[in-house]
């Protein structure tokens, strides 16, 4: 959620995800208006995804939970 990223950038950050599943998830996020898809008319065409204001506000709320989870991932249950 830190600016525009290309499809390959997301794929590199999410180990093991298939192109199909990543495409599906990006479409879902776009449908929920959390990201927007930008088409740059170059050759070849570049497509980037960036957070909408609604998506950015959601991440601001989720960020403390993500930090807590990272700090406590090694806790025994």
């Amino acid at each position: 959620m830190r600016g525009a990223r290309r499809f390959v950038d997301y794929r590199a950050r999410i180990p093991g995800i298939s192109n199909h599943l990543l495409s599906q998830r990006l479409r879902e996020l776009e449908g929920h208006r959390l990201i927007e898809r930008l088409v740059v008319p170059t050759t070849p065409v570049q497509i980037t995804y960036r957070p909408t204001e609604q998506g950015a506000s959601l991440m601001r709320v989720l960020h403390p939970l993500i930090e807590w989870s990272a700090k406590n991932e090694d806790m025994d249950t």
Side-chain angles (χ1 to χ4, degrees), residues 6-77:
R6 295 176 54 206
F7 183 91
V8 295
D9 298 328
Y10 284 111
R11 192 178 62 209
R13 291 176 166 269
I14 307 169
I17 193 165
S18 69
N19 288 344
H20 177 75
L21 183 57
L22 179 56
S23 294
Q24 183 180 3
R25 294 299 178 249
L26 289 171
R27 281 192 301 268
E28 288 173 3
L29 291 170
E30 186 180 7
H32 290 294
R33 297 185 179 145
L34 297 174
I35 62 170
E36 63 180 335
R37 183 177 184 261
L38 305 166
V39 178
V40 180
T42 58
T43 304
V45 173
Q46 278 191 350
I47 299 172
T48 59
Y49 300 88
R50 71 176 178 198
T52 62
E53 182 54 43
Q54 185 176 355
S57 69
L58 176 61
M59 283 308 296
R60 285 191 293 273
V61 172
L62 290 177
H63 191 62
L65 180 61
I66 294 166
E67 286 182 345
W68 180 89
S69 178
K71 288 178 186 175
N72 294 285
E73 69 182 331
D74 293 331
M75 283 181 40
D76 292 329
T77 54

